[in-house]
Amino acid sequence: MREVLQWVLMQCATWARQPVRVHVDGQRVQAPPLSERTVLVQPLPSIFSDLSLFHPRPEPMLYVSPTAARVPYPRPIDAQAFQSVWQRSVSRVITQCALVDDSLPRVLERVLAIINREWAGFGMTMTPDGPVVPLPLYLRVQVAWSLAAQSQQARLVYGDFSGIQSYVFARSRLGVSAVAKTLRARSARISLMALGVPWAESVQITQTGLLVLSAVGGGFTLLLPPTASLAIRQAEINAWLHEVTHAQMVLHTAEMPITADQFFGNYMAALSALHAQVAESKRQPLASYLFHDATTGDDPWVWRSTAALQSRCVRCESYPPLPGLDLCHWCALDERLGGELPRMRWIQLRDDMTGMVPMGNHWSLALNANRPPGSQQAVYALNDTADPVEPTVWMNLALPIATTDCPHCQTVQAPDPVRAGQPYTFACLAALDAPADPRLGYLKVDVDHLGLLMTVGLVPDTTMATDIYRVLRLQDTLDRFFTEGVRQLMQETRTLYTVFSGGDDLYVIGGARQIAAFSLTLAERFADYTGYHPDVTLSAGLVFVEPHVSIAIATEAVERALHRAKNVPSAERVAAGIVTGRNQVTIGTTTVGWTRYRRLWEEAQEVARLLDHRWLSHSGLYRLLQAAQFALQRPAAENAASWFPRATYEMHRHYMGEEQQPVRTWLAPYLQPDNPDLLARLALFPLLVSLARIRSQSDPTYPVQGGD
């Protein structure tokens, strides 16, 4: 490991063109730059500029801002300013490295963490025309291979957790107010386990987490020495998962030996083979993972006594409750974890079971608000908050926390009100968003064609072994948007509830109005993040429900909406000759493109303004809705003929006063026979009414006088 540290310092010194030094156990270690080697530090092109699927690569080339380490939005580059920023970053790296004094494994981790923070926006090439690789990623991959390889061979491991959604939403029908913290805790537990399982294996071998290549969503990739394996650990974890997740989750893994040429030059092919093995593994019966070396008589789920059946946890209904509580050990731990998440700033790996997130029978993760004492601890700082710099993991654990006692709870005199500093319940979020008409919004988002982007969209380049760098960089870049990028967007409202956010997807719950607006902002910021790449798009499902509807039912509805957005083309796409879905949003059962949704949302704001000023009545809007629906039920050639008489009568009967001029202005495009967009507007009129109801502050039950 000392040779690896020396090599890392030498690379940094060569890029900086000056010596770099650290201290290992109080002893100074210094590396000079290599004078005979030509290494060019260059602006780092956006990874999306290197993608091409259905369209040519976008022009002009966009670059990662060298000062945007947290969320790398691409921008045009100023070459002169770039050199100035580079020199300042070199000075910071040299200064921070000189202050590092720790054990050898910790020094190596901390140096790489410093480089990852300061040089994330810089790239390197070996030749002027060669491909550009991010400096931190280049070092991370090279270090992982150096620590794992023996005789130019290592073992590549891919792991993936199945049954995540069943576990997260299990028993959610018991009521939204009772499961809010548990829901978030279970989702966070999965993300933490996907990080902790490979981390523990890496620490056992190297005393560092540097063998972990990626840990995003519910999966991970890990590089091990050729003689090591995760198989024994997998069996232990699955036996433990059977208990803690109530037999709903299983860890699937696949392994293969890999040579240096395969690892650096054809990484995606190796990873695809492992993905196929895991997919086949997921089709095996669950019992094959649980009872391969035991009998069902050892299974804690086999209840034999009447007494046991009479007393079960009220949350999972699977295990006996703890003395004096209604919850079993695991559900009580979930509730405690949900309460601790807002204060979590550090994640510590422990070789015992005392942490809040156990992982089998030998390891656990402890969550802390402050850095755990002791320099030898294996720790990660959450979202790069440490100073001095420490290894970082990115997670979006946003929870809507009440800054004062919840006014909704006070109004309804809730028996267990939300106090200042506690997470809001879902019922509170709905009521605070729209007291007159409280509803919840469920939003699920997924990146389109990710598999194709990974396997086909990343253009191979034979001038340098960059295949692994492109794959890992695309994974990291997408994950950074759905963790830190989304977390920053959610800070603008602070009333959205993250179920999961990371990898390439997102699931958020909140007040209907907040969710509807957030979905648009998210899609527009993602387009900016990709440089408006036509091949890298989002699809989303969005549903609005009453607060009392169970999360399980709402989740099924939003899953159907997302599936429709990905597979059923909207009317606009059909008119344009596009017969596939994607790059669109399904709201309930209506699918529209993102641009059309933006126009609908802005029009809904105008309709809501008319309703709030009482220029337009709710009953009048409902009559217009009936007219639109009646017209759409007629043959296509008769749509306009059916709509115009009823809509014109409604306007002349109720909206000819001077103060109602805004209503006539809004209706004008709907009353133009030559409007080419008329039928599309009529088809979306029900959705417009629904969005206007969400945006309106007035009570839809308010009695409005008006004629028939």
Side-chain angles (χ1 to χ4, degrees), residues 36 152 210 220 274 308 372 424 469 485 530 536 539 593:
E36 72 279 4
Q152 291 298 300
L210 297 177
F220 60 85
L274 295 179
Y424 283 115
Y469 301 111
T530 65
V536 190
S539 292

Side-chain angles (χ1 to χ4, degrees), residues 110 367 538 652:
R110 291 183 62 186
L367 312 180
L538 291 180
H652 285 281

Side-chain angles (χ1 to χ4, degrees), residues 35 132 190 309 400 426 438 450 499 522-523 579 698:
S35 57
V132 183
I190 293 166
L309 289 171
F426 294 143
L450 183 60
V499 180
L522 177 77
V579 296
S698 62

Side-chain angles (χ1 to χ4, degrees), residues 50 62 73 77 82 158 174 242 263 267 306 399 498 501 598 645 671:
D50 210 16
L62 296 177
Y73 283 89
I77 200 72
F82 172 83
Y158 170 67
L174 295 177
H242 176 234
F263 182 70
Y267 176 78
T306 305
L399 285 173
T498 309
S501 176
R598 165 57 71 184
L671 299 177

